[in-house]
Amino acid sequence: MRNKWHLPVRSKRFSARVRSQRFSAKKWGISWLLLGILTAILCIVISPVSATGIGQKEPQTAAIETTTVNPSPADWVKQGRTFYETGQYTDAVEFLQKAAQAYQTQGETIKQATVLSNLSLAYQQLGLWSQANDAISQSLTLLQTKANRDVSTHHLNVLAQSLNIQGRLQLHQGQAEQALATWKQATALYNQLGDKTGKIKSQINQAQAMQVLGLHRRALALLKQVRQTLDNQPDSLTKAIGLRSLGEVLQFVDDLPQARQVLAESLQIARQLESPPDISAALLSLANTARQQQQIEAALDFYQQAITQAPSPLIELGAKLNQLSLLIETGNRQQAQTLIPQIQSQLNRLPISEQGITFQINFGESLIKLATSLHPEIAQILTTAIQQAETLGSQRLHAYALGTLGHLYEQTNQLQQAQDLTQQALIKTQAIEAWDSLYPWQWQLGRLLKQQGDIQGAIAAYQGAVDTLQSLRSDLVAVNSNVQYSFREQVEPIYRELVELLLPEDNTQISSERLEQARQVIELLQIAELDNFFQADCITAQPVQIDTIDQQAAVLYPIILSNRLETIVHLPNQPLHRYTTFVSQTELESTLEDLRQALPERTSLRFLPLARKVYDWIIQPAAADLATSEVKTLVFVLNGTLRNIPMGALHDGDNYLLQNYAIALTPGLELLESTPLTEQRLEVLTAGLSESRQDFSALPNVKTELQQIQSLMSGKLLLNQEFTKSTLKDAIANVSFPVVHLATHGQFSSEAEGTFIITWDDRLNVNELSSLLKTTDLRQTNPIELLVLSACETAKGDDRAALGLAGVAVRAGARSTIATLWLVDDETTADLMVKFYQVLTQDKVSKAEALRRAQLLILQDPKYRKHPYFWTPFVLVGNWV
């Protein structure tokens, strides 16, 4: 028998992550996690395939034949295959067992080994892992024993197929490293056989394992190699699936336009070859990509096409569940309601299987979010899922169903039942070491304990969730931008709610240790946000505590909570202070947004009462202590929407905050070691564009700005055509400049890809800029002390755009960065920048004080009408000394 019905391995399958400690983008939120599982399972069902794990066209089979005159082992195999393809896995196992026994009796070793590998697949669908492992082990033992005597092409081919099945099973059980090694063995065999198609298929499987291990860039590189090979071959299902796998990885690493293009190519080939399974799989991936791009109508249309063209009821059901979750997410309740009875009817007809259980949990989650009156029905659906998971022995799904039912009881205020179920989910999740599924239940337990008045227990549960997230910190690497939405909904609240517990509003007598713990929790959130932004670990070499940098600086840490603003302040040689302002998060963030919009209105004073209000919330409670301490600089560690506000623009009724203090921002409590510019011979690399490039307007004053800076400090100038990616790279490589000044258009965004600067020939995003500056190697003796980004601005309409500014400051490796929160006119920017360097070189003061004095000169200049539009957007991020 030629094995043409084995199923493909997909890296996003939930079961593949039972023991994996890697963190998928799909795992930030319960519903989105299950959506990822759902999509992966659909891909498995859609593509009945060879043992290589790659789909082929689904065979057209007649009605199942259960009786045959004098049936042969081949007949039993055929019947087992038919049962398998229709989801009747128990019956499939029965017939495959008969075939395997018959082939053993006949001494047909290779045929027996082949059937045993197929039997392993059927056991996997039933969740019978021990039997699945035994079957594939027997298959490989037979093949490896025979290999000592027979190394025919047919034997090696079957061995490669069985290795692929073993790899699938290993990945399914969370053994991603072993799966990757097994698939490499299969690839080597196909290479030995000269089987290019088999080699490509097993390479695609390797890419799936790499994704599970968090090696998304390696998976992408491998699949790009596969594509180069496929581009030289005629259209085939292997090509369609290879492109689809590449598209899904591109989707995962946030290259959504390219992902959509590649997936469209896969869909076109699948349609040309009239392969319904692969058509549906491509449509589903396209729907998910459109969803991440916030193209809701396109996503719904793709889901509907997947439903219409689904080759089986199971695939149709899965697509409907995806569609339902999106309709609920976007508030389209009426359309969602029409899908519910259809889905319920189809769910009731499903045989017991992992797919069916996952579908039920997903359905229950969607109904909970819909907030309908169907609570008894939801409870029954989830109870059924729990019972079926127990029957299959699937611990991971059992835990997830228990936790989801606990969430339902939480919503209906049945707190003790919710707590019992949540604790059961926790215990089971810990038992199978599914760490990446642990924190939602720890968070849920914390909420429940808090509601029941057990504050210490709640703190312990929340701290457990934070500790779990920190242990998974590296898994924020290489995830897509959809995580940032889920991060705000599913991760950020855990940290903030823990701080609320640590700083109870009715108790102002909090110890310094408790204040430090609260500050550290938000610090961990800051780090996680930056990791999330970069899709890579942040720089952590040789950090120093900002509290110790400057004995004339106060460090302010405002923390936005649901019903108040907590500001933790460190004054020199004093314990931490806590200042509480009771204002709702909604009012605070609304006022901050109004202020952010009003400040750039150069002909209006609408900003003034807003700036006074925010001053009263953040600064006024600590004003007397700040004055008594005689500090000169205020260092803000900002989070949330506070990052979009220039603190210097806050107003006490008489003066701007900048008129009383130098101001600096830092992304966190630790900075890189720095040597003050006052202790160095100042040399500057200046580069910029005065001419229009890449649809950005001309900046005619840039030429004057750069020339005047060059007159104040020695260095090198790159202007217009001379300012390219390569010339910038060469200039930095050949000479060590403590100051790099780039006067060009740029933008700060909440996404790394949307944070960029313009050169004459290219657009550099924040990661490319960091690589170009070569300062990620922090062991160099002369790092960049100051990076100035003149004429850049934060993206309009992006309430987290200032994260990109903090990102540049950290990622570029410079000890500090000066940039603007919004685009100021060309003349003002040039004027202020020149004044900054004049003060810096002549007065020998800190960077923060030099910027303050330059801003005050602009503030006092009648030409600029004393409006903060002209001077306040310039901010210093990083080491201020």
Side-chain angles (χ1 to χ4, degrees), residues 690-737:
S690 63
E691 300 180 15
S692 174
R693 298 297 294 176
Q694 303 179 43
D695 297 325
F696 286 86
S697 61
L699 298 169
N701 286 283
V702 162
K703 183 176 181 180
T704 302
E705 173 185 338
L706 298 186
Q707 289 174 341
Q708 290 187 6
I709 293 171
Q710 284 287 315
S711 71
L712 294 168
M713 303 163 63
S714 62
K716 185 176 182 63
L717 171 63
L718 301 173
L719 182 63
N720 292 330
Q721 292 93 332
E722 296 176 342
F723 177 31
T724 65
K725 182 190 293 187
S726 61
T727 56
L728 181 62
K729 180 179 179 181
D730 290 343
I732 293 175
N734 293 328
V735 179
S736 178
F737 295 98

Side-chain angles (χ1 to χ4, degrees), residues 267-289:
L267 176 61
Q268 181 181 6
I269 294 172
R271 282 176 169 163
Q272 288 174 354
L273 299 175
E274 299 179 353
S275 175
D278 294 290
I279 292 172
S280 294
L283 287 168
L284 206 55
S285 292
L286 280 165
N288 292 334
T289 303

Side-chain angles (χ1 to χ4, degrees), residues 255-315:
D255 191 347
L256 299 180
Q258 184 66 18
R260 195 157 181 174
Q261 178 183 335
V262 172
L263 290 169
E265 292 179 46
S266 175
L267 176 61
Q268 181 181 6
I269 294 172
R271 282 176 169 163
Q272 288 174 354
L273 299 175
E274 299 179 353
S275 175
D278 294 290
I279 292 172
S280 294
L283 287 168
L284 206 55
S285 292
L286 280 165
N288 292 334
T289 303
R291 183 173 187 165
Q292 287 179 222
Q293 293 177 303
Q294 298 298 307
Q295 298 176 6
I296 305 304
E297 292 302 319
L300 289 171
D301 180 61
F302 280 128
Y303 283 136
Q304 188 57 50
Q305 290 185 56
I307 292 168
T308 302
Q309 301 188 39
S312 74
L314 192 63
I315 297 166

Side-chain angles (χ1 to χ4, degrees), residues 774-786:
K774 288 188 174 179
T775 53
T776 52
D777 182 5
L778 299 174
R779 293 168 296 180
Q780 60 181 344
T781 56
N782 297 304
I784 296 173
E785 291 292 342
L786 176 63

Side-chain angles (χ1 to χ4, degrees), residues 23-25 28 252-254 475-481 483 532 535:
F23 220 29
S24 158
W28 287 104
F252 200 78
V253 299
D254 204 23
D475 299 302
L476 294 166
V477 175
V479 292
N480 58 42
S481 62
V483 171
N532 176 210
Q535 303 179 15

Side-chain angles (χ1 to χ4, degrees), residues 744-865:
T744 178
H745 282 290
Q747 178 176 280
F748 309 114
S749 166
S750 59
E751 299 179 8
E753 289 296 323
T755 297
F756 61 86
I757 65 167
I758 298 297
T759 65
W760 182 265
D761 63 339
D762 209 345
R763 174 181 291 196
L764 302 178
N765 66 40
V766 62
N767 290 319
E768 293 171 321
L769 178 62
S770 69
S771 175
L772 193 66
L773 294 177
K774 288 188 174 179
T775 53
T776 52
D777 182 5
L778 299 174
R779 293 168 296 180
Q780 60 181 344
T781 56
N782 297 304
I784 296 173
E785 291 292 342
L786 176 63
L787 170 66
V788 179
L789 298 172
S790 174
C792 299
E793 61 177 325
T794 54
K796 292 181 176 64
D798 186 340
D799 65 353
R800 299 175 78 232
L803 184 62
L805 173 55
V808 170
V810 174
R811 189 62 167 177
R815 296 328 194 231
S816 55
T817 300
I818 291 178
T820 51
L821 292 176
W822 59 79
L823 183 61
V824 185
D825 69 77
D826 186 32
E827 180 184 0
T828 307
T829 300
D831 195 2
L832 189 143
M833 286 291 107
V834 171
K835 286 178 167 56
F836 167 73
Y837 285 107
Q838 288 174 338
V839 173
L840 191 66
T841 55
Q842 296 170 11
D843 295 354
K844 301 296 183 180
V845 294
S846 70
K847 290 170 281 189
E849 180 60 22
L851 179 60
R852 172 177 176 268
R853 294 184 187 184
Q855 288 175 299
L856 289 177
L857 289 171
I858 297 296
L859 170 61
Q860 295 160 4
D861 191 331
K863 179 172 59 175
Y864 299 116
R865 303 186 301 281

